[in-house]
Every structure is written in C-alpha cells, then in structure tokens.
Amino acid sequence: MLVGSGALARAALSRVTPSPARGAAAALFLVVGLALAGATPASRSADPRGPRLLVAAAGRLVVASPGGTATRLAGQGFKAWASFRPDGTLLLASSTRAGFGSPAGRLALVTENADGTGIRPVTSARSGEEAEGRWSPSGLWIAYTRRDAEGSGDIELVSPASGTPVPVVATPANERQPAWAPNGRWLAYVSDAGGSNDVYLHSLRTGHDSALTSDPGSETAPLFSPAGSAVVFVSDAAGTSDLVLLTLADATRRALTADPGQELAPAWSPDGSEVGFVAIAPDGTRTLKAVRVADGAVRVLAPAPAGTTGFDWRVVRLGKELLPDMAQLVPANLVVTSAGNGGRIRFRLGFDSTVANVGRGQLEVHGARPRRGVPTMRAAQIVKLAGGGTRSFRDIGFMRYFTSAEHNHWHFLTYERYELRRTRDNALIVRDHKAGFCFRDNPARRVARHLPGEPAAAVFVDSCRKNDPRALSVTTGSSIGSLDWYPAFFHGQYVDVTGVPAGRYVLVHRVNFRWSLREVSYGNNAASVAIRLSWPHGRSSPPAVQLLRRCPGRDRC
C-alpha cells in the first residue's frame, strides 16, 4: 500500500491540481484568480527571455546558452540535480552546504536566485538525504527523492512556502527520480518493485500507481514531453544506455539514439522538438547533445563542463535582478516593564530592533485586495532590473490594517520575528507580540557607509496608507542604505517573560524569517544577544536582565 495515496497527499495538492471533472476551464480559472489576487504595477519594459542550459558539473552549477558561453554560478557547497523553476527566476538543487539547521555533508534541497545568490533551504533538517528534485509546472511544489541511510528512496512533495514534506510513494522498494506531467496531475518515477528498474506512473489525485515499462533491462530517468503526450527515458536493453521515446496514447516505443556511447540525463527542449542529453563517448569524453524527435538527427548543444552529470533546458527570464539584502542588527536597549491586566501583573522585555538594507536594490512590497470587504491584501515584491523595468513576485505574504494607540495603518505580516530561546538547548521559550510592519525610509537613519545605488533622498515616505482602512492597495519599502528602526514596546515590540524561569537565554531577532522575500543573501537575517534573567525580588516584582554578549549575524550567542 502506498503512503500518501490517501487524503494527505490529495488534500495537499488540491489547491494546485484541478480534478478531471473540472477540466481546462477550472485550471484557467485558477491561474487567472491567482494573477488577479496579486495584481501589481506592470513592468516599464519587456522582461527579456532566452533559452538557457542549467548544468550540474563536478558539484557546481553552470548556466550556458545552447552553442554559447558558459558561466559558473557563485555559491559554496557541492550541488547536484539542478533545475530551473518554470519562470526561470529560481534554481533548485541538492546541496551539501552546511547551515540552515542541516549538518555539513548531507544532501538537502536548496533554492537560489538565478545568478547563484540567495541560497536558502527548502525543508527543515531531517535524517537521510534529499535528491533529484523537480519543480511542479505551477512552481508551487517540488517532487524529490528521500533517501534513507541505506540509499533506498521514497518520493515526497514539499511546498517551499511551508517546508513540510508530504509522502507520496513509499514502499519497501526503491523509488526515485520523480518527474511531473505538464498538467501537474501525474508523476513518473523509477522503482525496482518488479525486480528491475522500471518506469511507473503515479496519480496525485487518486494515489494509484501503474507500470509504464516492465522490461528485463533497466529503464531510468523518465521525463514527460512539454505537451505531455510522451515520456522519454534511458534504457540499457541494447547493452548501452540509449534514449527511448514512449508515446502514451498507444504505448508505442521508438529508440531515439543507438550508438556505442552512453546517453544519460535527458532534458526536453522548450518546444518539445528535441531531447537533450549528456553524451559519453567510448573514450569517456562528455558532450551536451540533442536529438530531434522527428527524424533522429543529432547535434551538439554545448561543450560539457568537466564532471557533467545532467542539465535542465528552458526558456528563462534573463534580466539582472537588483535585489535587496535585509541585514538584521543586534537587539538593543533592553528594558523590562510591568503591566496590570485584571489583577494579574505581566512582565515584558522590550527592545529596539533595526533592519538595514545593504543590498543592490530596494525592497518594495505592493499589497492589493479586490474589494473592501476582503480584510487582507495579498502582497507582491517588486524588483527592479538592471536594464530597466521591473519583475513581480506574487504571493509573498499578506497585509492587514491595524488600529493601535501608536498608529493606524496597513502592516506587512511575517516580516520580522523576535524569539527568546534557552541557551543550553536552543528551545523556544516565548515569541513576540508584534503584529506586523510598515517599513519606510527615514532620512535621519541611514547606513553609515555609502552603498552603490543608494538614493540621494528618501524613496518610500508614505506611512502605509495611514488612517485609510478602506484602501484597496498600498506600497511600502526600504531603499538601499535605509535603516528601518522600531523602538521598544512600539506596537507589541516585546516578549512576555512573566513565567520564564531564571537562567541564561538568547534573544533572537530574525528578518524575512520565512524567506518569502527575494534577497541577495540570507546569511545576515538573524542577530542575537545572550542574557541572564533573574528574579532578585521574587516573581511579583520585575525580573533583572543582564546583557552578556552581542552576536551580530548569528541566531546562537
């Protein structure tokens, strides 16, 4: 019986996978609905696009033009099984990079910006390894192989927005190499359940599985054609690894290649007319080639970098993004106050919090709602391109109107978080009461050094539509070099320490804690201080807080 073939996997996918009963009209409605909900200002100029190859070679990622030059992307740590997000603005890979809670040396899924910056984790640290990840057609899900300590695999799904894995195919057999159908309803994968490697088909709607191949040889690396009418895979039935095309309508097969060399890691061309592959000559030389489906004509796509194991081939966006880099500064000016509530006294640890934009572009968030009866706005990040124009990243969060003694305006939610953690085991003790943020430029608060691209005057000066709860849209932001500062206790800027035992703790401030905003780097998104909390006059009096250490750029102190 398949784990995930029941309600769990179906419920998780119901938002992005229309059932057959709904048909194409439902799918179109879903796409249009998402677009309208996150409506944003239009680009000032066209967002250039072009075909690109994303190559995994010797643990590095390389971007190349078919027949053109190659550029090795930045970023530390071994990387493999790379693929473009369908819109080309994010990359997916398995990496041994340490950090984000994952131990060094363990393969885990990461995403990064198209230029190799902004590496961030997809899932929380778990046992085993995460390999062979592929984006769903919507770009909202990732299918991948979860390997145990013995190397046996299961198929799982994960949404980068939540980071919570969903088991899909998990049996005593070894399942691996998932590939999405273009409609998002099916996964092809490889299993040795029948005694040899065969290609199977899994329905994400019903959870049922069926074998596409059942040959004595080994069939691996399946991949749906862009139209979804065929699957290409690698077969060793002829004694060498060759590409075979399976037409789904009539189950007919046709060899696409047949030569003494080895053909590995197929990748469809964007228009579906060719299948790219890694060609290994008898002498071991590797080349990126493509075979034309219509007549079997083979051509060289590009030289293969040393150690090439596979690649992705897509038409992607080419504009250079001018992304922000939100650096969290160390918590400052710690102070304890007491507040009465119905005879109960609460003790609150307040603090100043500051975030600096030290990136190469401004942070701009645009919120919109379709009508006033909807209480929240859906937010999008607007990113400028180096050559002019903008790019919009929708559904990064929500904005809500808040009324308080300090101010009345729209807040962007899930921007920054404050945590009090126990020093000895990093256990979370309490979290902040902050409702949200309206970030904007303050001419009196700027980064000390001059940064490239820093504006001469404040750019974002609106107070997030102050006293305007009926607004249908709002724009907030932070320009290059801006310091976004919040004082202690301002609109919930504190953690409640009433029931916290005496001891040593770490106060952590995190900006962009869900990684929903695109940034140049996420390595400076946390800062902390080590404190000692005590109750010298008993629990009915305010506690004493002693600052022990300041730890910029770290969530442990």
Side-chain angles (χ1 to χ4, degrees), residues 332-337 348-352 487-489 493-495 507:
N333 299 326
L334 276 62
V335 60
V336 176
T337 64
R348 298 169 175 175
L349 173 60
F351 37 74
D352 290 8
F489 303 106
Q493 186 109 347
Y494 64 87
V495 291
L507 177 63

Side-chain angles (χ1 to χ4, degrees), residues 25-241:
L28 178 61
F29 175 80
L30 177 65
V31 172
V32 172
L34 288 174
L36 290 178
T40 56
S43 295
R44 292 188 298 272
S45 63
D47 201 353
R49 298 171 185 262
R52 289 294 184 269
L53 309 175
L54 178 62
V55 184
R60 295 282 186 172
L61 302 187
V62 176
V63 174
S65 302
T69 58
T71 303
R72 193 170 78 170
L73 299 182
Q76 298 177 351
F78 178 91
K79 295 191 184 74
W81 298 292
S83 62
F84 288 109
R85 192 174 186 264
D87 65 3
T89 64
L90 279 181
L91 311 180
L92 171 68
S94 290
S95 175
T96 56
R97 184 187 183 199
F100 305 118
S102 300
R106 185 181 73 84
L107 282 170
L109 295 177
V110 298
T111 63
E112 53 192 272
N113 301 324
D115 61 359
T117 63
I119 299 175
R120 50 204 179 279
V122 174
T123 60
S124 301
R126 292 178 62 195
S127 59
E129 293 189 326
E130 300 157 357
E132 302 166 331
R134 289 191 180 276
W135 294 95
S136 69
S138 66
L140 300 178
W141 291 87
I142 294 169
Y144 63 99
T145 302
R146 162 83 50 193
R147 292 177 179 166
D148 61 21
E150 287 72 40
S152 181
D154 295 320
I155 306 300
E156 294 185 346
L157 301 182
V158 65
S159 165
S162 68
T164 303
V166 178
V168 174
V169 183
T171 74
N174 183 17
E175 292 96 18
R176 59 200 187 279
Q177 299 179 345
W180 291 87
N183 63 9
R185 301 176 189 173
W186 304 86
L187 285 175
Y189 65 95
V190 174
S191 175
D192 61 5
S196 62
N197 290 326
D198 289 300
V199 178
Y200 285 74
L201 197 62
H202 176 82
S203 169
L204 292 167
R205 187 177 65 87
T206 67
H208 294 157
D209 295 73
S210 57
L212 286 181
T213 68
S214 56
D215 300 337
S218 176
E219 291 82 42
T220 58
L223 201 62
F224 281 94
S225 66
S229 58
V231 172
V232 67
F233 56 86
V234 176
S235 172
D236 66 359
T240 61
S241 296

Side-chain angles (χ1 to χ4, degrees), residues 208-414:
H208 294 157
D209 295 73
S210 57
L212 286 181
T213 68
S214 56
D215 300 337
S218 176
E219 291 82 42
T220 58
L223 201 62
F224 281 94
S225 66
S229 58
V231 172
V232 67
F233 56 86
V234 176
S235 172
D236 66 359
T240 61
S241 296
D242 292 303
L243 302 184
V244 175
L245 185 72
L246 171 64
T247 302
L248 296 176
D250 55 12
T252 58
R253 300 190 195 186
R254 175 164 56 94
L256 292 180
T257 63
D259 54 57
Q262 306 284 325
E263 285 80 53
L264 304 175
W268 284 92
S269 66
D271 63 3
S273 64
E274 296 177 288
V275 177
F277 57 93
V278 178
I280 306 178
D283 64 359
T285 304
R286 299 192 176 208
T287 310
L288 299 183
K289 294 184 177 181
V291 56
R292 197 157 55 205
V293 174
D295 57 13
V298 176
R299 68 182 178 103
V300 174
L301 273 177
T308 294
T309 56
F311 67 102
D312 193 14
W313 186 1
R314 296 201 185 234
V315 172
V316 301
R317 300 180 182 183
L318 303 179
K320 181 181 179 181
E321 298 168 355
L322 301 177
L323 293 170
D325 184 5
M326 311 312 294
Q328 176 70 64
L329 275 61
V330 173
N333 299 326
L334 276 62
V335 60
V336 176
T337 64
S338 55
N341 183 10
R344 299 179 60 189
I345 299 177
R346 311 296 301 182
F347 300 107
R348 298 169 175 175
L349 173 60
F351 37 74
D352 290 8
S353 179
T354 305
V355 176
N357 182 2
V358 296
R360 59 194 184 198
Q362 64 189 26
L363 171 65
E364 180 178 347
V365 173
H366 179 83
R369 56 177 175 166
R371 59 185 182 279
R372 292 187 174 90
V374 177
T376 59
M377 295 183 183
R378 298 182 74 164
Q381 182 181 0
I382 311 301
V383 174
K384 288 186 176 181
L385 303 178
T390 61
R391 186 172 290 167
S392 172
F393 299 110
R394 295 181 169 88
D395 296 316
I396 60 167
F398 296 90
M399 302 188 76
R400 184 184 290 271
Y401 188 85
F402 285 91
T403 300
S404 71
E406 295 95 351
H407 51 192
N408 304 287
H409 57 198
W410 291 85
H411 278 177
F412 177 61
L413 309 181
T414 66

Side-chain angles (χ1 to χ4, degrees), residues 322-325 356-363 441 445-447 449-457 459-460 477-483:
L322 301 177
L323 293 170
D325 184 5
N357 182 2
V358 296
R360 59 194 184 198
Q362 64 189 26
L363 171 65
D441 293 341
R445 295 186 178 275
R446 307 290 299 176
V447 175
R449 68 184 189 277
H450 181 78
L451 299 174
E454 183 175 345
V459 176
F460 299 97
S478 178
S479 64
I480 301 173
S482 176
L483 289 175

